Amino acid sequence: MKAQLLPMALAAFGLSMLLVTASAAADPLAHGRLSLEDALDRARAESPELLINRARIARAEAVQRQTLQGVLPTVSVDATYLRLDTSLLDDIPVLEPGLPPLLTRQDLGPAEARVASIQVVQPLVNVGAWNARRQAGSQADAARLVLRRAQDEVTLAVIEAYFGARTAERRVAAEQRGLATAERALRQAEAGFDEGLIPPVDVLRARSRVLDMEARIATAESQVVAAHALLRQVLGIEGGGRLQLADPVPKPPRSLPPTPSDAEMLARRSDVRALQETVSAARYGIQRSQSAYVPDVNLLLRYQRVETDQPLDLTESGWLVGVNLRWTLFAGFAQAGAIDEAKAAEEEARTELHALRLLARSEVVEARAQWEAELLGWERASSRIEDAEAALALTEARYAEGLDDMTSLLQAQAEELGAVTREVNARFNALVAAQRYHLAIETGEAGALAR
């Protein structure tokens, strides 16, 4: 018995390990490290904004399917059972045969009947339904384009939050590096003071610098916590604490696609195209309202069968073929009001489209200029790090020889830390600016620069 239980236990253990491995593969957080690709996949799958837009697409497509009612035939089947039991069927005089014949009264009982029919109505002319279908189709296309734009915006938000957290971590590293430099200067000052070469004020100023750097590190670490909380919010990850991020902050691109023409840029932008579809839907809405003055024509086909029992014993079947014309000549002012409302909606959508086109043009110019400025700032900040490090090393050596004072040393430390911090911030700003330019011209490469 024990020999049989051992293979079963091993199989159960293997199955459980397989399930754990599969769940860990499905959840990148189970590995302890979150890459940018995993973050983007998670956001595309679970972002509330994208889920809402997908639901809107499903609703628009459902409305579009409903408009088929004005094009396709309607088939209905009905069956009725009738029972007639009244005083008209009681005490009915009946002449019975015989010699002589007798006049008697009989109760014939209730009359029963069954009626069954099938009816087909095929719309022949329904202008309102045709325009309603075109309107619903434009609304569904607009919803799909809105989703496409939202996906790019979510991608940018994830990249900004992901590398924002990594940049906050780099700021902590820079501040810790500055603390190490300040502690080295403090040790140097204390050694010189013990030998009687350094005045006590230098020790006090060096110690004050160390305390200031410790406070700066605490502030930088609080910014890391805030950045990781923002990243969790963007990705929809429950809980708190820092995430283990796998990808470092890359260098910003030194070149971007050229600025397209206005026509090309507007043709790319999904949000502009979505509003164009909204304008088309509003135009079809006007035509749909105006079609209320046009008559509807339907073809009617009906087959009916009637069966009755005693006392009638009747069975009848028949076909009905007809053409129905329905025309509402006057319905108060409902038709006129509906037309005015549709025209107002079309005017509103057209105005929004004009405003969005102006905004799109300005976004492209602004994003390009912002990227150029941030890239130049990052290049200058990167080139100043080596100079600041060399100046700090030279100042430390001169201070050790008594050729420079503590003021010069602290100033060199601040300049070196400032150079590193500026490079950290400038790299992030230039990277995000490049992503925003891609989003502004909608090249379809959102997020590609960061992979």
Side-chain angles (χ1 to χ4, degrees):
M1 185 67 179
K2 294 182 178 179
Q4 294 178 351
L5 291 177
L6 181 60
M8 296 176 60
L10 292 176
F13 177 75
L15 180 60
S16 62
M17 293 300 297
L18 181 61
L19 293 176
V20 171
T21 304
S23 62
D27 187 5
L29 297 178
H31 299 295
R33 296 178 65 82
L34 179 68
S35 66
L36 176 62
E37 189 66 32
D38 293 335
L40 291 173
D41 292 340
R42 184 183 184 94
R44 294 189 187 105
E46 302 182 12
S47 170
E49 182 179 358
L50 299 184
L51 294 177
I52 291 172
N53 280 282
R54 293 189 182 104
R56 288 174 178 171
I57 291 176
R59 183 174 61 184
E61 291 176 345
V63 172
Q64 187 179 13
R65 283 193 296 271
Q66 292 176 13
T67 59
L68 288 172
Q69 184 179 6
V71 179
L72 298 178
T74 301
V75 181
S76 59
V77 177
D78 63 85
T80 306
Y81 170 74
L82 302 175
R83 178 184 176 91
L84 181 62
D85 190 3
T86 66
S87 61
L88 298 178
L89 300 179
D90 298 335
D91 296 332
I92 298 177
V94 177
L95 187 63
E96 293 185 356
L99 293 175
L102 298 176
L103 182 63
T104 63
R105 293 181 177 274
Q106 294 184 2
D107 184 2
L108 298 183
E112 297 180 351
R114 290 169 295 277
V115 182
S117 65
I118 180 171
Q119 178 173 291
V120 179
V121 179
Q122 171 63 56
L124 299 179
V125 178
N126 194 331
V127 181
W130 300 342
N131 287 312
R133 180 160 181 78
R134 290 189 289 182
Q135 181 184 16
S138 296
Q139 290 172 343
D141 292 339
R144 297 185 189 98
L145 291 170
V146 169
L147 174 62
R148 183 181 305 176
R149 181 69 179 184
Q151 288 174 338
D152 291 341
E153 292 175 350
V154 167
T155 298
L156 175 60
V158 172
I159 291 174
E160 190 169 355
Y162 187 95
F163 289 127
R166 293 293 281 168
T167 299
E169 295 172 355
R170 293 190 68 205
R171 292 194 192 102
V172 172
E175 299 293 346
Q176 290 174 345
R177 176 179 174 180
L179 175 61
T181 303
E183 290 174 342
R184 185 171 64 248
L186 176 60
R187 290 191 299 268
Q188 188 177 4
E190 290 175 342
F193 175 75
D194 293 338
E195 296 176 2
L197 302 176
I198 300 297
V201 67
D202 284 4
V203 178
L204 296 176
R205 297 181 64 181
R207 188 172 297 148
S208 176
R209 174 67 177 177
V210 171
L211 296 177
D212 180 61
M213 290 306 304
E214 290 176 349
R216 289 171 60 102
I217 289 176
T219 302
E221 288 178 345
S222 68
Q223 294 175 351
V224 171
V225 174
H228 279 263
L230 177 61
L231 179 58
R232 283 181 175 273
Q233 178 183 352
V234 171
L235 298 181
I237 300 176
E238 300 290 342
R242 294 177 56 173
L243 300 169
Q244 297 296 324
L245 306 181
D247 295 336
V249 181
K251 294 182 178 180
R254 297 181 180 274
S255 63
L256 288 180
T259 302
S261 62
D262 286 350
E264 183 180 1
M265 182 269 299
L266 295 177
R268 290 178 181 176
R269 292 273 298 238
S270 298
D271 52 349
V272 175
R273 293 165 56 197
L275 261 182
Q276 289 174 344
E277 293 294 337
T278 302
V279 172
S280 298
R283 190 180 305 114
Y284 290 134
I286 295 175
Q287 298 177 8
R288 177 183 180 182
S289 300
Q290 292 173 341
S291 62
Y293 294 106
V294 180
D296 297 335
V297 181
N298 301 313
L299 176 64
L300 175 65
L301 302 175
R302 181 181 179 89
Y303 171 76
Q304 181 169 293
R305 180 178 178 84
V306 180
E307 296 180 355
T308 62
D309 294 334
Q310 296 290 339
L312 300 179
D313 286 333
L314 174 66
T315 300
E316 290 289 342
S317 299
W319 282 93
L320 172 64
V321 179
V323 177
N324 167 258
L325 185 144
R326 184 177 60 187
W327 191 6
T328 303
L329 298 178
F330 181 71
F333 288 98
Q335 296 171 343
I339 294 174
D340 293 339
E341 182 182 3
K343 288 182 178 179
E346 194 265 349
E347 181 63 25
E348 179 183 358
R350 192 179 297 277
T351 303
E352 291 179 356
L353 177 60
H354 177 69
L356 181 59
R357 285 173 173 171
L358 295 177
L359 178 63
R361 294 187 181 98
S362 64
E363 283 180 350
V364 172
V365 176
E366 181 181 355
R368 182 82 187 192
Q370 185 71 20
W371 168 75
E372 292 175 351
E374 296 293 349
L375 180 63
L376 181 62
W378 173 70
E379 292 175 345
R380 297 295 184 268
S382 300
S383 62
R384 291 184 60 183
I385 291 179
E386 294 183 1
D387 296 339
E389 291 174 346
L392 176 60
L394 179 60
T395 305
E396 287 179 341
R398 290 175 60 85
Y399 180 77
E401 296 174 1
L403 301 178
D404 270 332
D405 56 8
M406 179 58 67
T407 302
S408 299
L409 179 58
L410 294 179
Q411 183 178 359
Q413 290 179 1
E415 291 178 352
E416 191 268 344
L417 177 60
V420 175
T421 304
R422 282 191 294 272
E423 190 278 334
V424 170
N425 296 331
R427 174 180 291 204
F428 172 73
N429 293 335
L431 179 66
V432 173
Q435 295 292 327
R436 288 177 178 169
Y437 177 75
H438 273 275
L439 179 63
I441 64 175
E442 198 158 328
T443 59
E445 300 176 2
L449 299 177
R451 294 195 179 100

